Amino acid sequence: MCTVVIDVENAGVARLLAVRDEDPQREWDALGPWWPERYSGVIGIRDRRAGGAWLAANPAERRLAVLLNRADVRDLPDAHAVSRGSLALESVMGRSPVAPLPMHGFNLLEVGPEGARVLSWDGVELRETPIDPGTHMIAHDDLDDETTPRIEAWLPEFRALGPTADSPDWTAEWTALLASSTELPPEDDRAIIRDNRPHGYPTQSLLYATASVTPTGLEVRDHALPTPAHWSV
């Protein structure tokens, strides 16, 4: 139930805001170089249980990837499912997933020198959606899917801020809009900072990250929320 807002300027230039929803009981590590042997030069937000990453970045290659869950269209027993935590790490090394995949559904948002796209796996089909220039939003369904209440509510607001390239401080503007969204209770299905338990999931918003990918480099910062599903204490 994570959320990403991304503004694509052109091929190889994009800026994004990503909110991570996860079970608060599942421990994680903040942005760091947690995989020096296997993924040299890669930084990411690590899941301690499975050892993978929700968000990963390869600054030297100007590659960034964010993983979001997506519903399956077929039943895959958990005992037979491979962790999705390697997807973002492999992606930023230039190795995107290839079907078939013994994994539960996902949206994998990829940004690199060649452009930005979403790879969507539903348990049967792996689809690619190129991300055109402009501001877009994705959660657990398709890119810019207006049937997702938070996208219907907030994508027009992010687009109204204008291109990030024209802003003297886009991260401040986008973060301020994210903060204003928390006037909605976290249980509201339009909320970006979320408590998904009323919707049948144990996950809550735990952190957000901002990132920019440009020809001059890649920058990413992560910010833990003070308490799950709440902007302030």
Side-chain angles (χ1 to χ4, degrees):
M1 301 288 282
C2 303
T3 307
V4 176
V5 187
I6 182 170
D7 178 37
V8 174
E9 184 176 345
N10 52 50
V13 181
R15 301 166 185 88
L16 66 80
L17 168 70
V19 177
R20 186 189 186 198
D21 296 353
E22 184 52 270
D23 185 341
Q25 301 304 311
R26 187 161 183 155
E27 295 184 334
W28 53 279
D29 292 304
L31 190 70
W34 301 110
W35 310 270
E37 294 83 12
R38 187 167 183 179
Y39 301 107
S40 177
V42 170
I43 57 175
I45 296 171
R46 182 175 66 170
D47 172 63
R48 290 184 185 176
R49 182 185 301 174
W54 163 70
L55 175 151
N58 186 337
E61 300 294 329
R62 294 188 291 113
R63 294 188 179 278
L64 177 76
V66 185
L67 179 66
L68 305 93
N69 291 346
R70 186 184 180 100
D72 294 332
V73 298
R74 70 179 179 92
D75 292 331
L76 176 65
D78 288 341
H80 298 163
V82 174
S83 170
R84 293 164 289 192
S86 64
L87 290 168
L89 294 166
E90 289 290 314
S91 171
V92 299
M93 298 299 289
R95 299 187 289 265
S96 298
V98 177
L101 294 155
M103 298 175 175
H104 289 303
F106 62 79
N107 286 322
L108 181 66
L109 187 148
E110 298 183 318
V111 180
E114 64 279 3
R117 65 178 182 173
V118 176
L119 295 177
S120 300
W121 171 250
D122 61 9
V124 174
E125 180 185 12
L126 183 67
R127 295 186 292 109
E128 176 185 357
T129 303
I131 306 179
D132 296 328
T135 301
H136 305 271
M137 196 168 179
I138 190 167
H140 55 279
D141 288 314
D142 291 340
L143 186 73
D144 300 338
D145 193 331
E146 294 182 353
T147 66
T148 305
R150 82 196 87 151
I151 293 178
E152 181 184 27
W154 294 103
L155 180 56
E157 301 293 329
F158 279 98
R159 285 177 169 168
L161 294 176
T164 53
D166 296 342
S167 170
D169 191 349
W170 73 271
T171 57
E173 291 183 357
W174 279 31
T175 302
L177 182 54
L178 178 62
S180 72
S181 76
T182 63
E183 294 177 8
L184 291 170
E187 300 83 9
D188 192 310
D189 213 15
R190 297 168 297 169
I192 302 175
I193 301 298
R194 304 179 58 78
D195 184 345
N196 295 305
R197 292 175 296 181
H199 306 288
Y201 304 94
T203 57
Q204 300 176 66
S205 298
L206 303 180
L207 65 95
Y208 70 95
T210 56
S212 63
V213 182
T214 69
T216 60
L218 185 155
E219 296 182 0
V220 58
R221 295 182 180 180
D222 60 330
H223 312 266
L225 298 179
T227 57
H230 291 85
W231 189 254
S232 57
V233 178

